Amino acid sequence: MAARRSRIPATKYPVERFTLDNGLRVVLTPDRSAPVIGVAVVYDVGIRSEPEGRTGFAHLFEHLMFQGSENLEKLAHFRHVQGAGGTFNGSTHLDYTDYFETLPSNALERALFLEADRMRGPRLTEENLRNQVDVVKEEIRVNVLNRPYGGFPWLTLPPVMFDTFPNAHDGYGSFDDLESATVADAADFFRRYYASGNAVLAVSGDIDVAEATELVTRHFGDVPARPAPQRPDFTEPDLSAERRTSYTDALAPLPAVAGAWRVPDPVTDFAGYLPYVVLAEVLTDGDASRLVERLVQRDRTVTSLGGYLGFMGDPFDVRDPTALLLQAHLPPGGDVDKVLRTIDEELDRLATDGLTDGELARTQARMATHLLRDTDAVLGRALRMAVLEQQRGEPGLLNDLPRLVGEVTEEQVRAAAATVRPERRAAIEVIAGGAR
């Protein structure tokens, strides 16, 4: 009997692309259905770009970009966005850093002015630097040091899997490295990575393309041209034997474990990569998924379970090297070895026996729903298109992702599962030190 295939709805968001003389790439995607816009600027610099001795610098610099700019004093960006009824933020990832706003559409020029002004140059002062070092240190205390499972597994698993500094180091940064950062370091980081030729601007929502093009050119066209730096080669060989370690988390009430397996290059081998994205969902998405049904409901050897592509959890905004991750929390006294053996058994069963009738179609329909929901809002659309342009030069891929997910076959998922072997696994165990 032929496997049922998902009928995946398609989106048809229009895409207009152009490049300014200074190298800034621009993506416009109009949608006049509501008077709202999303504006996103993505710079091609992230955690992997940090030099040794400057761990956490990409994230620290993200903070500095909100501390005033060429024509605006400290906190002015906050005041101008919020005063127009908008919201804003920024985030640092392995392969990029983004800055974004959601605003009423009549505030488009305001948003473009604000982003262009800090692209010309943030206010890099000793006072701003020291203040933001303290802010980042407090963020680390709250999110990692004083939180159960802090940094698990996105900070704790890469140094088990990888050998090179760019892929293995702590992206939040050590306190010593953060405290030793200088204004000169920040200025050099800005000159090197925050060039117009190393950035993408995306605007989505209630815009007229001709008017938006004129406004973008007016505000960004005179940003000094600086070329994009040459991106290093971050590739590493795959594992040939399992790597495993453990640590005690003094705050963790329950044991936990995470495993990771290398996957094909998500940019240059997208067709080979997609089956692993689907596989992660087949294994862990929903109560009917393979591992949830086996480990949580039947065996009760874990209390919660998750699976995803990429250490920061978004399969479509990461470059190579990356991995498929599975993580679980166990009940008190849980047996980590048994959990890992069961995962291996289920992967072998999937590779050998295939999927049940309707299992793949159900998973693909859920995935398509998530993809469509994530880009329904104008900001989600702008962010996704900006990153697709930055990493692939293909922002319109956003429209094709649900369909491409739906075209992955059972044979491809089985073949992917067959490669997820224990000898290719990096694993980390959290020993519960906070159990009572």
Side-chain angles (χ1 to χ4, degrees), residues 139-156:
E139 187 175 329
I140 294 170
R141 292 186 188 100
V142 170
N143 291 338
V144 180
L145 300 180
N146 296 321
R147 172 179 291 187
Y149 313 104
F152 170 79
W154 77 277
L155 292 178
T156 56

Side-chain angles (χ1 to χ4, degrees), residues 180-222:
S180 64
T182 67
V183 173
D185 292 333
D188 181 67
F189 195 83
F190 175 78
R191 283 191 299 268
R192 177 182 296 269
Y193 295 111
Y194 277 70
S196 53
N198 205 39
V200 174
L201 165 69
V203 183
S204 174
D206 185 21
I207 59 171
D208 174 82
V209 170
E211 179 185 3
T213 300
E214 190 277 325
L215 289 173
V216 168
T217 304
R218 180 193 308 171
H219 288 283
F220 287 89
D222 64 350

Side-chain angles (χ1 to χ4, degrees), residues 180-304:
S180 64
T182 67
V183 173
D185 292 333
D188 181 67
F189 195 83
F190 175 78
R191 283 191 299 268
R192 177 182 296 269
Y193 295 111
Y194 277 70
S196 53
N198 205 39
V200 174
L201 165 69
V203 183
S204 174
D206 185 21
I207 59 171
D208 174 82
V209 170
E211 179 185 3
T213 300
E214 190 277 325
L215 289 173
V216 168
T217 304
R218 180 193 308 171
H219 288 283
F220 287 89
D222 64 350
V223 173
R226 300 197 313 278
Q230 183 171 355
R231 187 174 183 271
D233 182 1
F234 295 132
T235 58
E236 290 193 34
D238 195 0
L239 300 185
S240 56
E242 183 180 20
R243 295 182 181 180
R244 186 166 165 186
T245 190
S246 63
Y247 68 98
T248 299
D249 184 335
L251 301 176
L254 298 172
V257 66
W261 297 259
R262 290 282 298 277
V263 295
D265 189 316
V267 176
T268 63
D269 187 14
F270 193 51
Y273 173 77
L274 270 179
Y276 290 86
V277 181
V278 177
L279 172 63
E281 303 300 312
V282 167
L283 293 173
T284 65
D285 185 34
D287 290 343
S289 61
R290 290 286 177 117
L291 294 181
V292 173
E293 192 278 332
R294 172 76 187 273
L295 291 167
V296 179
Q297 297 176 354
R298 192 196 320 171
D299 295 354
R300 299 189 177 182
T301 51
V302 308
T303 58
S304 64

Side-chain angles (χ1 to χ4, degrees), residues 349-416:
R349 187 164 70 89
L350 176 55
T352 302
D353 299 338
L355 289 87
T356 61
D357 184 42
E359 184 178 9
L360 180 59
R362 180 184 68 244
T363 301
Q364 290 167 321
R366 287 172 65 97
M367 294 178 70
T369 298
H370 296 322
L371 287 167
L372 295 168
R373 183 186 61 202
D374 290 346
T375 56
D376 184 57
V378 291
L379 180 59
R381 211 173 307 155
L383 284 166
R384 175 61 54 82
M385 285 196 177
V387 176
L388 290 174
E389 172 64 38
Q390 172 235 354
Q391 297 183 358
R392 304 166 183 270
E394 196 177 355
L397 182 62
L398 177 145
N399 288 319
D400 296 327
L401 284 175
R403 174 183 59 81
L404 292 172
V405 163
E407 289 177 353
V408 172
T409 66
E410 177 180 348
E411 290 71 24
Q412 289 175 307
V413 175
R414 292 175 64 179

Side-chain angles (χ1 to χ4, degrees), residues 80-134:
H80 286 298
V81 174
Q82 293 173 335
T87 59
F88 65 92
N89 212 330
S91 59
T92 307
H93 302 253
L94 291 178
D95 297 304
Y96 67 94
T97 306
D98 57 22
Y99 303 87
F100 48 88
E101 296 86 17
T102 302
L103 287 154
S105 54
N106 61 4
L108 171 61
E109 185 166 14
R110 179 179 299 209
L112 296 177
F113 166 77
L114 292 171
E115 290 296 350
D117 202 59
R118 61 178 166 187
M119 187 179 287
R120 292 186 184 90
R123 293 200 177 192
L124 302 177
T125 67
E126 185 67 23
E127 178 186 2
N128 284 345
L129 177 61
R130 299 274 70 87
N131 172 268
Q132 291 309 302
V133 166
D134 288 342

Side-chain angles (χ1 to χ4, degrees), residues 67-81:
Q67 302 306 302
S69 53
E70 185 170 277
N71 294 294
L72 293 170
E73 71 278 13
K74 188 173 183 175
L75 303 182
H77 191 108
F78 298 53
R79 187 173 66 253
H80 286 298
V81 174

